[in-house]
């Protein structure tokens, strides 16, 4: 399959990074209270290394080539292999944000746009697992126990460390995700 030119929506220009790259890895004092982010400017975002790999959503509703993705956030220091990527659509509409946490947790379309992703990254400080709050991942299921623990620890620690920030919407979202399993 040949290269396909896709023009990013003009709205992305107004919320992009002014840096080529921006990242940080951190560890708190408690267990699983840590995180990492490594943002790449949209103009420099590249596809995952395995161009011909197929991405299948956990729910099985989407199947597309990984070459449609452009990585905007990843974990190069801890090496989780997880990343957030823009999926630019041929019609030039609002790009999708995908959280790819394979092989263990699969690939998930997020219910936030690029601007909201950056805002939530600021709020969560890149704590591991926060992205799952914005997917339809079944957080109540056993296989997501470690993710649940990380989110719970994040929601306990961050309000203490950053009391000026409002974490209540994330706490409510987490409760709702556990209650109904699919946000």
């Amino acid at each position: 399959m040949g290269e396909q030119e896709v023009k990013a929506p003009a709205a992305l220009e107004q919320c992009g990074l002014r840096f080529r790259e921006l990242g940080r890895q951190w560890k708190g004092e408690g267990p699983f209270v840590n995180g990492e982010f490594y943002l790449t400017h949209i103009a420099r975002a590249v596809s995952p290394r395995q161009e011909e790999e197929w991405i299948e959503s956990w729910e099985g509703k989407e199947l597309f080539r990984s070459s449609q993705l452009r990585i905007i956030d990843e974990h190069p220091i801890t090496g989780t292999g997880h990343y957030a990527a823009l999926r630019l659509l041929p019609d030039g509409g609002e790009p999708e944000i995908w959280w790819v946490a394979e092989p263990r947790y699969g690939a998930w379309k997020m219910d936030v746009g690029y601007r909201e992703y950056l805002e939530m990254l600021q709020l969560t400080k890149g704590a591991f697992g926060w992205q799952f709050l914005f997917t339809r991942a079944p957080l109540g299921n056993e296989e997501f126990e470690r993710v649940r623990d990380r989110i719970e620890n994040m929601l306990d620690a961050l309000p203490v460390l950053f009391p000026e920030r409002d974490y209540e919407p994330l706490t409510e979202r987490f409760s709702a995700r556990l209650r109904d399993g699919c946000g």
Side-chain angles (χ1 to χ4, degrees), residues 6-17:
V6 179
K7 182 164 175 47
L12 287 182
E13 295 172 8
Q14 295 152 2
C15 63
L17 296 173

Side-chain angles (χ1 to χ4, degrees), residues 107-121:
W108 299 90
K109 181 178 172 183
M110 295 182 71
D111 63 1
V112 295
Y114 183 67
R115 179 183 303 274
E116 294 86 7
Y117 185 90
L118 294 177
E119 290 169 357
M120 289 302 105
L121 183 63

Side-chain angles (χ1 to χ4, degrees), residues 8-63:
L12 287 182
E13 295 172 8
Q14 295 152 2
C15 63
L17 296 173
R18 62 180 197 178
F19 304 104
R20 287 181 174 189
E21 301 163 338
L22 177 66
R24 177 65 62 197
Q25 189 267 339
W26 59 272
K27 180 172 175 36
E29 292 182 13
F32 297 115
V33 182
N34 50 25
E36 179 176 8
F37 64 90
Y38 186 83
L39 293 170
T40 300
H41 191 282
I42 292 173
R44 297 175 51 87
V46 297
S47 293
R49 287 165 184 62
Q50 300 171 347
E51 295 291 328
E52 295 304 314
E53 179 181 80
W54 286 92
I55 300 289
E56 181 178 3
S57 74
W58 176 281
E59 299 169 299
K61 295 178 183 173
E62 299 250 16
L63 183 65

Side-chain angles (χ1 to χ4, degrees), residues 28-179:
E29 292 182 13
F32 297 115
V33 182
N34 50 25
E36 179 176 8
F37 64 90
Y38 186 83
L39 293 170
T40 300
H41 191 282
I42 292 173
R44 297 175 51 87
V46 297
S47 293
R49 287 165 184 62
Q50 300 171 347
E51 295 291 328
E52 295 304 314
E53 179 181 80
W54 286 92
I55 300 289
E56 181 178 3
S57 74
W58 176 281
E59 299 169 299
K61 295 178 183 173
E62 299 250 16
L63 183 65
F64 56 90
R65 291 195 184 276
S66 63
S67 60
Q68 292 182 7
L69 298 175
R70 300 294 180 267
I71 298 173
I72 57 168
D73 184 15
E74 59 186 322
H75 303 150
I77 296 171
T78 54
T80 66
H82 301 175
Y83 60 87
L86 283 175
R87 182 178 178 205
L88 297 175
L89 304 175
D91 66 5
E94 179 72 20
E96 299 172 346
I97 305 288
W98 282 75
W99 177 241
V100 181
E102 295 179 331
R104 184 171 184 176
Y105 299 114
W108 299 90
K109 181 178 172 183
M110 295 182 71
D111 63 1
V112 295
Y114 183 67
R115 179 183 303 274
E116 294 86 7
Y117 185 90
L118 294 177
E119 290 169 357
M120 289 302 105
L121 183 63
Q122 280 185 318
L123 183 63
T124 64
K125 314 303 184 216
F128 289 123
W130 75 266
Q131 292 90 343
F132 284 105
L133 289 173
F134 296 90
T135 70
R136 294 183 55 80
L139 296 180
N141 288 4
E142 184 178 330
E143 66 264 32
F144 285 89
E145 181 177 7
R146 185 170 181 182
V147 171
R148 261 193 329 273
D149 289 346
R150 287 183 179 275
I151 293 171
E152 287 172 349
N153 289 333
M154 171 190 74
L155 293 172
D156 287 343
L158 291 182
V160 173
L161 295 170
F162 304 99
E164 71 284 359
R165 301 299 302 262
D166 181 12
Y167 290 94
E168 191 59 32
L170 289 182
T171 300
E172 290 171 4
R173 180 176 269 276
F174 184 51
S175 295
R177 299 283 296 110
L178 292 176
R179 192 172 43 254

